Amino acid sequence: MDSDFGIPRELSDLQKLRSQYQPELPPCLQGTTVRVEFGDATIAADPSGAHTISRSFPHTYGQPIAHFLRATAKVPDAQIITEHPAVRVGVVFCGRQSPGGHNVVWGLLEALKVHNPESVLLGFLGGSEGLFAQKTLEVTDEILATYKNQGGYDLLGRTKDQIRTTEQVNAALNACTALKLDALVIIGGVTSNTDAAQLAETFAERKCPTKVVGIPVTLNGDLKNQFVETNVGYDTICKVNSQLISNVCTDALSAEKYYYFIRLMGRKASHVALECTLQSHPNMVILAEEVAASKLTLFDITKQICDAVQARAEQDKYHGVILLPEGLIESIPEVFALLQEIHGLLRQGVSADNISAQLSPWASALFEFLPPFIRKQLLLHPESDDSAQLSQIETEKLLAHLVEAEMNKRLKEGTYKGKKFNSICHFFGYQARGSLPSKFDCDYAYVLGHIAYHILAAGLNGYMATVTNLKNPVNKWKCGAAPITAMMTVKRYGRGHGASTLGKPALHPATVDLKGKAYELLRQNAIKFLMNDVYRNPGPLQFDGPGADAKAVSLCVEDQDYMGRIKKLQEHLDKVRSIVKPGCSQDVLKAALSAMASVTDILSVMSSPSTGGTPF
């Protein structure tokens, strides 16, 4: 099996053309000198978890953010690194495959060789299991030739996503020590980067010289925080799915007799469903975050869809397209509680055949109410994080079944006088995952690979490569690095009653912000989308010409340049210091004191544990 990794691909004419595309580098990453400016020490975004995080990560918590600077930048206290000894770096795919992952490896290799041709990049074969077993492939430009700007993770492969248990951490440490690695670059999402942070802390504690660097790559788009605007792969996934959805919308409008229920990837968050809605304009989308916030039951959701079907029927429309995230099923309160009971019994060793008889009365009643195919899927063993096997639970078929039953009931009772309801169901789960990456993801991943080397050159450990100002052209991107611990929160486990147990610090999936600009844009257009069939087809993925430089709507409407704002604030503070010096006038001093007192009072209130942070 190992012999299959890194072998040349047979490329189509389009793939050959894509392999020749050379991504652009921002000015701050060009040349053979690394210029880094360190900001202030970081703190936890949620003050209530700061003590727990700092105690769990004594060696890597509170490190400063880093900005990488262009050669012309006039920053007096910047660190200029001109000496680049040969280094050995390992790279591992830890998360689920996401378009653009190969370009991270390419960018990293190129940065290594540009700064010192003697440096070596080792790829671990088969993900984290390959790391534990020390199975490596030396990555060269020749090996990468047919993988540049290509989808998939088949250059190196992946298996399990975890580096978490004591045994696994020790195996990773032993591998890095035996292979004399100066750095280990971990490519993945929230789970993988949480493990990267723990690995960095353990390495620092045990004085292992290997630095650990994280790269935000996940198709779910849920590794978002003040430092990370979006993830590699998300742009491609949304564009490919949006075309598929748009094709279905055109089909629905042509036949005028079917409702299409389409389930999309997005385990804990509905970012993909939201973005695809903004790109393709289907009639409805039901976001898991809306359902959780409003505590909508299965009956509520069914009624919502049925009322929409009935309203459209009154306009003589008997077709439509409805999007659902795969995580929707766990956001429905009574279904989530049922799943918790089932998973508890499975953990106790109760066989699937006997679970129904051991459920509590209300759970048993709900279980028996559900159609047989859903019952079977709910009985599947949970994932390693205790969540249901969401990709295997056909929520779209469940809702189509319930809506059809309710519409037939209304038809029989005479409260609905339209045509019979017909549905067709789809799950767009894996169709987009192996796609050729979009131009944006090719560029973004390649740039992150270069930043990974800059982090190593700056001697940093436990950092994630970051790029902000992404909605602008590449030459305006701002590159830096932030400690992964600064992105962590302490989640209060459990939902509903008694959810008070404190868990371990971790990166948690960022859910759709129901107060954010992207969601606001959806709400502004919801009625128009529902009733007017304003379907929009962005067409197939574009690599050149019109549409090639289009970026995610949600990325463009949000104003997210956090790192840029931090620098701007520092400039203002420096300017205040330069103006208000001993010898300035009384009026200037009074104005500065008054303004600063007001600002600090406001910020103290906002940052206090009782008001700050993110509730879970």
Side-chain angles (χ1 to χ4, degrees):
M1 180 65 185
D2 292 351
S3 60
D4 292 340
F5 293 123
I7 62 171
R9 287 176 162 187
E10 183 178 336
L11 302 183
S12 68
D13 288 342
L14 177 62
Q15 285 180 297
K16 288 174 185 174
L17 189 65
R18 287 310 294 153
S19 69
Q20 293 165 19
Y21 170 68
Q22 177 61 52
E24 189 181 345
L25 275 182
C28 61
L29 300 180
Q30 295 173 10
T32 56
T33 299
V34 172
R35 294 172 178 82
V36 59
E37 176 194 14
F38 292 104
D40 294 329
T42 52
I43 59 171
D46 179 2
S48 64
H51 177 66
T52 305
I53 299 168
S54 63
R55 193 176 56 198
S56 301
F57 294 87
H59 298 87
T60 52
Y61 179 76
Q63 298 187 98
I65 55 172
H67 303 275
F68 297 110
L69 309 173
R70 63 176 71 198
T72 55
K74 293 179 172 58
V75 180
D77 56 349
Q79 184 180 339
I80 300 173
I81 303 165
T82 55
E83 296 295 319
H84 298 276
V87 290
R88 292 170 60 82
V89 177
V91 62
V92 58
F93 288 126
C94 279
R96 287 172 171 81
Q97 50 268 36
S98 191
H102 286 146
N103 273 32
V104 177
V105 180
W106 179 20
L108 175 58
L109 176 69
E110 189 169 274
L112 284 167
K113 296 298 185 181
V114 161
H115 290 91
N116 190 317
E118 300 302 314
S119 291
V120 172
L121 179 61
L122 298 176
F124 286 101
L125 302 177
S128 54
E129 287 195 349
L131 169 64
F132 306 147
Q134 302 180 30
K135 291 184 179 179
T136 63
L137 168 73
E138 182 174 345
V139 181
T140 63
D141 204 54
E142 291 71 33
I143 283 174
L144 265 177
T146 57
Y147 293 88
K148 294 175 179 179
N149 304 312
Q150 309 296 313
Y153 277 6
D154 49 323
L155 169 68
L156 301 173
R158 57 159 286 267
T159 46
K160 288 182 179 178
D161 300 327
Q162 289 183 192
I163 312 175
R164 190 171 309 158
T165 66
T166 302
E167 184 183 22
Q168 290 169 338
V169 169
N170 286 339
L173 189 147
N174 291 338
C176 292
T177 303
L179 295 167
K180 297 182 171 62
L181 295 186
D182 296 284
L184 175 66
V185 176
I186 291 178
I187 296 172
V190 289
T191 302
S192 304
N193 279 284
T194 296
D195 291 347
Q198 188 58 64
L199 211 55
E201 177 65 27
T202 303
F203 283 14
E205 181 187 334
R206 299 194 195 173
K207 296 182 170 50
C208 172
T210 308
K211 311 297 183 190
V212 181
V213 177
I215 309 288
V217 181
T218 170
L219 58 88
N220 294 323
D222 57 5
L223 204 178
K224 287 176 71 173
N225 52 55
Q226 64 270 43
F227 302 105
V228 182
E229 292 184 5
T230 190
N231 312 138
V232 172
Y234 175 72
D235 184 75
T236 305
I237 292 292
C238 292
K239 283 175 177 168
V240 174
N241 276 331
S242 291
Q243 189 215 351
L244 295 174
I245 293 161
S246 301
N247 293 350
V248 169
C249 289
T250 303
D251 190 76
L253 192 57
S254 302
E256 295 188 304
K257 60 180 180 180
Y258 298 115
Y259 272 87
Y260 292 86
F261 287 71
I262 301 174
R263 178 167 47 107
L264 298 167
M265 284 189 139
R267 296 176 58 74
K268 300 295 185 186
S270 310
H271 297 292
V272 172
L274 173 59
E275 178 62 32
C276 289
T277 301
L278 295 175
Q279 287 194 29
S280 58
H281 303 179
N283 298 101
M284 282 185 79
V285 60
I286 298 174
L287 304 178
E289 290 83 352
E290 291 178 310
V291 171
S294 301
K295 295 183 170 57
L296 299 180
T297 64
L298 204 51
F299 173 78
D300 294 330
I301 298 168
T302 303
K303 182 178 183 302
Q304 193 178 94
I305 298 172
C306 289
D307 290 347
V309 170
Q310 190 154 339
R312 285 176 58 79
E314 288 167 7
Q315 290 191 9
D316 204 28
K317 294 178 178 179
Y318 295 97
H319 63 276
V321 178
I322 301 166
L323 304 189
L324 315 163
E326 64 179 356
L328 176 66
I329 194 77
E330 282 196 323
S331 69
I332 303 169
E334 72 273 25
V335 180
F336 179 76
L338 170 60
L339 281 166
Q340 292 294 90
E341 280 202 30
I342 290 171
H343 293 168
L345 291 168
L346 287 171
R347 279 192 293 270
Q348 291 171 28
V350 178
S351 70
D353 294 338
N354 297 327
I355 278 180
S356 179
Q358 296 196 36
L359 292 170
S360 62
W362 73 266
S364 179
L366 173 60
F367 188 73
E368 293 304 322
F369 162 77
L370 295 170
F373 71 92
I374 283 289
R375 277 185 243 157
K376 185 177 179 181
Q377 292 161 7
L378 293 182
L379 292 172
L380 294 170
H381 273 270
E383 303 272 18
S384 57
D385 63 354
D386 286 332
S387 64
Q389 290 193 38
L390 297 174
S391 62
Q392 304 301 316
I393 299 176
E394 297 172 307
T395 315
E396 73 283 12
K397 290 185 179 179
L398 170 63
L399 286 176
H401 171 88
L402 295 175
V403 169
E404 183 175 3
E406 174 61 20
M407 293 311 296
N408 287 341
K409 179 169 170 279
R410 292 185 185 189
L411 196 60
K412 190 174 180 181
E413 292 171 349
T415 54
Y416 168 65
K417 297 181 171 58
K419 295 179 183 177
K420 188 178 186 304
F421 175 84
N422 294 297
S423 66
I424 296 175
C425 297
H426 295 287
F427 172 40
F428 292 166
Y430 304 100
Q431 293 89 334
R433 217 161 70 167
S435 169
L436 289 171
S438 66
K439 185 172 179 289
F440 173 82
D441 277 329
C442 287
D443 292 340
Y444 185 31
Y446 177 79
V447 167
L448 287 170
H450 272 264
I451 294 172
Y453 173 77
H454 277 56
I455 292 171
L456 167 61
L460 305 177
N461 178 40
Y463 277 69
M464 187 185 294
T466 64
V467 183
T468 57
N469 212 28
L470 283 169
K471 65 183 179 183
N472 288 304
V474 175
N475 62 6
K476 293 186 178 177
W477 286 3
K478 296 170 185 172
C479 302
I484 303 174
T485 53
M487 308 174 191
M488 288 183 159
T489 49
V490 181
K491 188 171 182 178
R492 289 149 183 82
Y493 285 109
R495 303 189 195 179
H497 304 297
S500 59
T501 310
L502 291 177
K504 291 182 178 179
L507 292 182
H508 291 106
T511 54
V512 169
D513 182 2
L514 299 183
K515 295 180 181 176
K517 292 181 182 177
Y519 180 72
E520 183 184 333
L521 184 60
L522 173 66
R523 293 272 53 88
Q524 287 169 359
N525 290 282
I527 298 301
K528 183 172 75 172
F529 289 178
L530 176 62
M531 301 307 297
N532 297 347
D533 294 350
V534 288
Y535 304 141
R536 174 181 180 272
N537 196 327
L541 201 58
Q542 300 296 301
F543 302 117
D544 201 2
D549 292 313
K551 293 173 182 174
V553 178
S554 49
L555 177 66
C556 293
V557 299
E558 298 288 358
D559 191 11
Q560 297 174 305
D561 187 12
Y562 182 86
M563 298 284 263
R565 285 174 175 166
I566 286 281
K567 276 189 73 71
K568 184 64 71 177
L569 174 63
Q570 194 63 55
E571 287 168 12
H572 284 304
L573 293 173
D574 290 342
K575 188 172 276 189
V576 169
R577 287 192 190 97
S578 69
I579 295 171
V580 187
K581 286 184 174 178
C584 69
S585 72
Q586 282 278 17
D587 289 341
V588 168
L589 183 58
K590 283 180 183 177
L593 282 171
S594 175
M596 286 299 181
S598 298
V599 169
T600 51
D601 285 347
I602 293 167
L603 297 180
S604 296
V605 171
M606 290 179 69
S607 301
S608 68
S610 58
T611 57
T614 305
F616 287 93

